[in-house]
């Protein structure tokens, strides 16, 4: 990666980019600054025109400091916070704004932590005096607060560049701590060479060609607010699935965040809010929500349909966004927050961000200050370790596997707590561990459908179905939904294993009663007669077979009705294909065992540790 550590500082000092301007003029005698702490959002909203004017005075301003962002955020999160924004006037003219809110005695920027960047809003030549006046007002504000944490400050932000120019009595209350690093593509005079390099990677071209062969590929931005709102529901659903599939929680799992994105679509102009969709034969595969402001594109949220995982739609989406940036962006392509590994393949610059801690006078404030200095030192050490792990892919994969495994285990443990079934959960877990310790693998009994009692398929197809029971063939996205709904039936840590089984051709049936998942059954079709499992060879003989290899139930909703409908469906499929239906039943699945006997299945063998013996 290019050595560009000084880029942000160089850009901040370039007059051509509207950053450090010539020496700031001193206010004329008699020109007096005064401040107001606004606690009513309607009052703050009435200053939108002045707010917008100040924001537009910065040619590197981010979308996160606009009135539209503030309105959308307050509509979604305002009930959880107390407004305490500081506005600075010179006589009757608004010259500065520090949009702040308070929660649990901690003051922070309005719009964070959902904003990727934050800063003071004022003209460049007035930063020091506006910031000093605002901080004095905040420190003297009588309402109860213990600490002010101004997060997501870029190195080029006005607060970071000017805080050392403040009077000494204010500086001693400030502690600037590095917190995060963002990956970005900085475009300078060699922008065409940069795009040629990042878009000409052989791996990227292969992914794009593979998806093109699957159908007609199209990428487009949604140009109206109405159309964007229509696509948001799919975006939310697939964002939750995608994050869950890698063992992480999606921000879209929060109703407040979903409402926030909807409000953003309403408040931000369509030419600045860029909501892109990648479609294959008119079906959406991937979505990207970003912002185009002041010659920069920032990728804010994106996801793809996990059912199309093998086509790498996320990477193809990124290529389309880079093509858009090449034609429409002059300054920078910012990947935003997050340490996803793919960013390292494209980025040419790492931007450090900071948090500014403002401590109140007194002993408590001094103790907080010492804590923040220690926090800064620890962050530097952790950041170096994270960079080393990210650069070494085997360690990164191991860390991800451990994270997914622990996330799945914790999710499985939370569900019984919600359902007040913790005792049964720990009993089942203990039984499972005991069985694995002493037998290595669960014990299975193998049942085969009775040839003399094979079903009349015409009769079964025409028989009335139970409207409360539905059986569907699941895809990977459906399995993620089941894992989120019933972690006791399927853990998130098993999703990658499920993906491999689906790629091998196995099918999974999902049974639901009254819309609740009750059974998950894996089916192996066209099972070879030379199966390595000795327990299955006598059952299958030389006849084609369908194997119900595994059936997992939601213990709270274990129902004979679900087993009855599933087995009936599989018997119909086997009869149509003139195949044998073989079912493996664990020793503890008494309800399944009873239904197998009721439907005339014959026990043929016993299987332990992959070996079997006929009865």
């Amino acid at each position: 990666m290019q050595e560009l550590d000084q880029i942000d500082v160089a850009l901040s000092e370039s007059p051509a980019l509207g950053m450090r301007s010539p020496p700031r003029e001193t206010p004329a005698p008699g020109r007096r600054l005064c401040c107001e702490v606004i606690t009513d959002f309607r009052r703050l909203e009435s200053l939108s025109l002045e707010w917008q004017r100040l924001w537009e005075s910065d040619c590197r301003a981010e979308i996160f400091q606009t009135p539209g962002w503030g309105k959308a955020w307050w509509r979604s999160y305002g009930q959880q916070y107390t407004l305490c924004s500081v506005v600075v006037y010179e006589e009757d003219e608004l010259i500065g704004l520090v949009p702040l809110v308070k929660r649990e005695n901690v003051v922070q920027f309005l719009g964070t932590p959902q904003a990727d960047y934050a800063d003071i809003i004022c003209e460049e030549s007035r930063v020091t005096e506006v910031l000093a006046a605002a901080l004095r007002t905040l420190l003297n504000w009588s309402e109860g607060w213990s600490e002010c944490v101004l997060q997501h400050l870029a190195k080029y932000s006005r607060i970071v560049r000017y805080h050392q120019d403040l009077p000494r009595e204010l500086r001693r209350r400030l502690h600037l701590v590095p917190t995060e690093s963002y990956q970005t593509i900085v475009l300078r005079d060699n922008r065409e060479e940069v795009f040629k390099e990042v878009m000409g990677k052989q791996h990227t071209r292969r992914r794009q060609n593979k998806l093109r062969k699957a159908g007609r590929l199209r990428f487009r931005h949604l140009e109206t607010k109405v159309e964007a709102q229509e696509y948001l529901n799919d975006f939310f659903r697939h964002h939750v699935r995608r994050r869950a599939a890698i063992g992480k929680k999606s921000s879209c799992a929060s109703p407040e965040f979903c409402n926030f994105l909807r409000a953003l679509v309403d408040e931000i102009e369509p030419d600045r809010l860029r909501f892109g969709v990648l479609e294959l034969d008119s079906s959406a595969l991937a979505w990207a929500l970003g912002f185009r402001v002041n010659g920069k594109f920032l990728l804010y949220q994106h996801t793809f349909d996990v059912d199309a995982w093998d086509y790498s739609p996320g990477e193809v989406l990124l290529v389309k966004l880079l093509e858009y940036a090449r034609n429409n962006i002059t300054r920078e392509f910012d990947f935003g927050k997050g340490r996803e590994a793919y960013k390292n393949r494209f980025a040419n610059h790492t931007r450090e961000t900071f948090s500014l801690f403002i401590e109140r006078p007194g002993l408590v404030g001094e103790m907080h200050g010492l804590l923040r200095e220690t926090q800064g030192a620890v962050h530097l050490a952790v950041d170096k370790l994270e960079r080393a792990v990210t650069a070494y892919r085997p360690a990164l994969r191991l860390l991800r596997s451990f994270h997914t495994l622990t996330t799945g285990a914790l999710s499985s443990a939370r569900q019984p707590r919600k359902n007040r079934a913790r005792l049964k959960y720990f009993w089942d877990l203990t039984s499972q561990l005991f069985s694995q310790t002493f037998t290595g693998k669960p014990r299975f009994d193998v049942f085969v459908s009775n040839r003399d009692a094979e079903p009349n398929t015409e009769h079964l197809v025409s028989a009335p179905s139970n409207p409360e029971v539905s059986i569907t063939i699941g895809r990977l996205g459906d399995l993620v939904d089941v894992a989120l709904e019933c972690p006791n039936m399927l853990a998130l840590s098993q999703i990658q294993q499920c993906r491999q089984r689906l790629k091998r051709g196995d099918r999974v049936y999902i049974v639901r009663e009254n819309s609740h998942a009750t059974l998950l059954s894996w089916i192996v079709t066209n099972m070879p007669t030379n199966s390595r499992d000795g327990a299955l060879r006598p059952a299958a003989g030389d006849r084609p077979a369908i194997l119900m290899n595994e059936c997992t139930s939601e213990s709270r909703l274990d129902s004979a009705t679900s087993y009855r409908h599933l087995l009936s469906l599989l018997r119909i499929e086997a009869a149509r294909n003139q195949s044998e239906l073989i079912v493996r039943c664990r020793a503890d699945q008494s309800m399944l065992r009873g239904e197998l006997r009721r439907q005339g299945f014959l026990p043929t063998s016993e299987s332990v540790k992959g070996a079997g013996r006929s009865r």
Side-chain angles (χ1 to χ4, degrees):
M1 182 177 292
Q2 235 175 319
E3 293 294 335
L4 297 172
D5 291 340
Q6 302 302 319
I7 281 182
D8 283 331
V9 175
L11 290 174
S12 71
E13 295 174 348
S14 171
L17 289 173
M19 300 309 292
R20 276 211 192 257
S21 47
R24 300 180 294 280
E25 60 177 278
T26 304
R31 291 168 61 183
R32 178 171 161 274
L33 302 187
C34 61
C35 297
E36 175 188 1
V37 178
I38 296 180
T39 57
D40 186 342
F41 193 80
R42 290 172 296 182
R43 165 68 176 144
L44 184 63
E45 195 171 8
S46 70
L47 302 175
S48 293
L49 292 178
E50 300 289 332
W51 183 347
Q52 185 73 20
R53 174 184 60 81
L54 291 173
W55 179 82
E56 290 176 352
S57 69
D58 183 1
C59 69
R60 285 177 60 91
E62 303 284 356
I63 194 72
F64 311 107
Q65 286 87 59
T66 60
W69 180 277
K71 293 176 187 178
W73 188 88
W74 186 259
R75 280 168 53 182
S76 305
Y77 295 97
Q79 293 182 348
Q80 306 171 25
Y81 294 83
T82 299
L83 188 70
C84 56
S85 298
V86 182
V87 293
V88 183
Y89 295 91
E90 184 177 60
E91 296 181 348
D92 294 331
E93 180 187 2
L94 179 66
I95 65 168
L97 170 63
V98 187
L100 300 173
V101 293
K102 185 184 72 168
R103 184 179 185 181
E104 296 179 355
N105 295 327
V106 176
V107 175
Q108 66 185 64
F109 273 122
L110 183 150
T112 57
Q114 286 69 35
D116 285 8
Y117 296 102
D119 203 1
I120 189 175
I121 303 164
C122 66
E123 293 182 359
E124 180 79 10
S125 61
R126 312 298 296 270
V127 175
T128 302
E129 55 184 322
V130 168
L131 183 58
L135 290 180
R136 287 193 179 100
T137 299
L138 183 64
L139 289 169
N140 293 327
W141 187 44
S142 59
E143 298 296 326
W145 62 274
S146 58
E147 188 174 43
C148 178
V149 184
L150 304 184
Q151 297 175 295
H152 305 161
L153 298 170
K155 184 178 291 186
Y156 61 77
S157 68
R158 289 172 168 174
I159 289 181
V160 172
R161 290 186 291 117
Y162 285 93
H163 79 285
Q164 290 292 349
D165 297 340
L166 294 172
R168 185 173 181 277
E169 72 271 11
L170 292 177
R171 288 202 311 271
R172 62 192 301 268
R173 308 253 64 86
L174 308 181
H175 299 277
L176 191 67
V177 177
T179 49
E180 296 180 89
S181 297
Y182 298 175
Q183 303 300 312
T184 182
I185 301 174
V186 174
L187 307 175
R188 295 184 292 176
D189 296 335
N190 60 338
R191 65 185 308 278
E192 286 302 321
E193 289 78 4
V194 170
F195 278 116
K196 183 177 180 181
E197 179 183 354
V198 298
M199 297 175 61
K201 298 179 184 295
Q202 184 177 0
H203 175 79
T204 301
R205 292 200 306 269
R206 284 202 309 267
R207 299 299 191 197
Q208 195 166 4
N209 292 336
K210 180 180 179 180
L211 192 52
R212 280 174 176 162
K213 292 177 182 178
R216 186 171 64 90
L217 190 64
R218 181 176 72 153
F219 174 78
R220 64 190 180 97
H221 279 109
L222 308 176
E223 300 297 345
T224 68
K225 294 182 179 182
V226 172
E227 191 177 20
Q229 292 287 4
E230 291 174 353
Y231 274 80
L232 278 176
N233 281 337
D234 284 341
F235 173 80
F236 297 150
R237 179 162 55 92
H238 288 284
H239 196 281
V240 171
R241 282 179 170 182
R242 170 72 183 107
R243 297 288 290 178
I246 57 175
K248 296 184 179 180
K249 185 175 180 180
S250 165
S251 53
C252 295
S254 162
E256 291 86 359
F257 187 77
C258 295
N259 292 336
F260 171 56
L261 291 189
R262 290 196 179 280
L264 277 181
V265 170
D266 288 338
E267 296 288 349
I268 306 296
E269 299 86 345
D271 63 327
R272 286 179 172 168
L273 187 145
R274 302 272 74 197
F275 192 2
V277 180
L278 181 70
E279 297 174 322
L280 183 67
D281 293 335
S282 300
S283 296
L285 289 186
W287 302 258
L289 192 152
F291 304 103
R292 184 185 70 178
V293 177
N294 292 329
K296 170 179 175 176
F297 180 86
L298 185 139
L299 182 57
Y300 185 62
Q301 295 286 336
H302 58 101
T303 192
F304 63 84
D305 186 346
V306 295
D307 290 331
W309 201 325
D310 294 333
Y311 288 99
S312 302
E315 190 159 334
V316 177
L317 173 69
L318 180 58
V319 171
K320 296 299 183 182
L321 291 172
L322 289 170
E323 290 176 356
Y324 169 80
R326 183 171 59 185
N327 298 325
N328 297 275
I329 300 303
T330 60
R331 185 164 61 87
E332 183 178 352
F333 186 104
D334 194 332
F335 291 99
K337 288 189 295 188
R339 285 186 171 273
E340 291 84 352
Y342 78 88
K343 296 177 181 179
N344 293 324
R345 300 206 311 270
F346 296 93
N348 63 6
H349 177 53
T350 298
R351 171 171 297 128
E352 194 173 25
T353 61
F354 301 83
S355 291
L356 183 69
F357 294 88
I358 305 170
E359 314 296 350
R360 300 207 69 164
L363 179 60
V364 174
E366 297 292 341
M367 296 298 294
H368 278 165
L370 292 174
L371 177 63
R372 298 312 173 192
E373 291 178 2
T374 304
Q375 180 181 341
V378 171
H379 168 79
L380 292 175
V382 172
D383 186 65
K384 289 182 180 179
L385 179 61
E386 287 182 352
R387 288 176 184 272
V389 170
T390 303
Y392 186 56
R393 295 191 67 83
L396 180 62
R397 286 194 293 267
L398 180 63
L399 186 63
R400 284 178 175 172
S401 299
F402 177 76
H403 180 271
T404 303
L405 183 64
T406 54
T407 301
L410 290 173
S411 179
S412 298
R414 287 191 202 102
Q415 194 68 23
R417 182 180 179 182
K418 292 181 181 178
N419 303 327
R420 298 181 179 179
R422 282 178 287 185
L423 184 60
K424 185 179 188 309
Y425 168 77
F426 286 113
W427 172 258
D428 292 342
L429 183 63
T430 302
S431 300
Q432 182 181 357
L433 291 174
F434 180 83
S435 174
Q436 291 179 353
T437 301
F438 291 97
T439 65
K441 288 186 178 180
R443 181 187 300 271
F444 291 95
D445 287 332
V446 180
F447 290 80
V448 64
S449 54
N450 188 348
R451 298 185 186 185
D452 298 329
E454 286 182 347
N456 182 332
T457 59
E458 294 182 1
H459 170 70
L460 284 175
V461 169
S462 60
S465 60
N466 188 338
E468 297 179 351
V469 179
S470 65
I471 303 177
T472 58
I473 297 177
R475 304 174 70 185
L476 186 62
D478 301 317
L479 292 175
V480 175
D481 292 341
V482 170
L484 291 170
E485 177 188 349
C486 307
N488 293 333
M489 189 158 61
L490 178 66
L492 287 173
S493 57
Q494 298 174 289
I495 291 297
Q496 293 301 323
Q497 179 186 353
C498 293
R499 181 187 172 200
Q500 296 303 319
R501 294 177 74 169
L502 292 172
K503 289 177 67 173
R504 289 199 304 264
D506 291 358
R507 290 205 308 270
V508 59
Y509 286 91
I510 301 173
V511 185
R512 293 180 178 273
E513 286 192 42
N514 298 317
S515 301
H516 297 290
T518 56
L519 292 179
L520 200 65
S521 180
W522 284 94
I523 308 298
V524 180
T525 57
N526 300 321
M527 189 184 69
T529 55
N530 61 345
S531 170
R532 288 181 294 177
D533 193 335
L536 302 180
R537 283 199 299 269
D542 57 357
R543 190 181 184 192
I546 296 176
L547 170 65
M548 191 173 90
N549 190 44
E550 179 183 340
C551 189
T552 309
S553 66
E554 170 54 68
S555 56
R556 296 179 300 111
L557 302 172
D558 207 1
S559 166
T561 304
S562 296
Y563 288 115
R564 184 177 308 120
H565 282 73
L566 176 62
L567 291 174
S568 298
L569 177 67
L570 294 177
R571 291 177 67 196
I572 293 172
E573 181 181 347
R576 285 176 175 169
N577 298 330
Q578 297 182 346
S579 302
E580 199 113 58
L581 176 57
I582 302 173
V583 179
R584 297 180 70 179
C585 177
R586 293 197 316 269
D588 60 341
Q589 292 180 300
S590 57
M591 196 167 292
L592 173 59
R593 188 184 304 272
E595 187 59 32
L596 288 167
R597 288 172 175 165
R598 196 188 74 80
Q599 295 196 25
F601 282 76
L602 302 175
T604 61
S605 58
E606 181 179 78
S607 176
V608 180
K609 295 185 181 180
R613 61 175 182 271
S614 301
R615 292 186 174 181

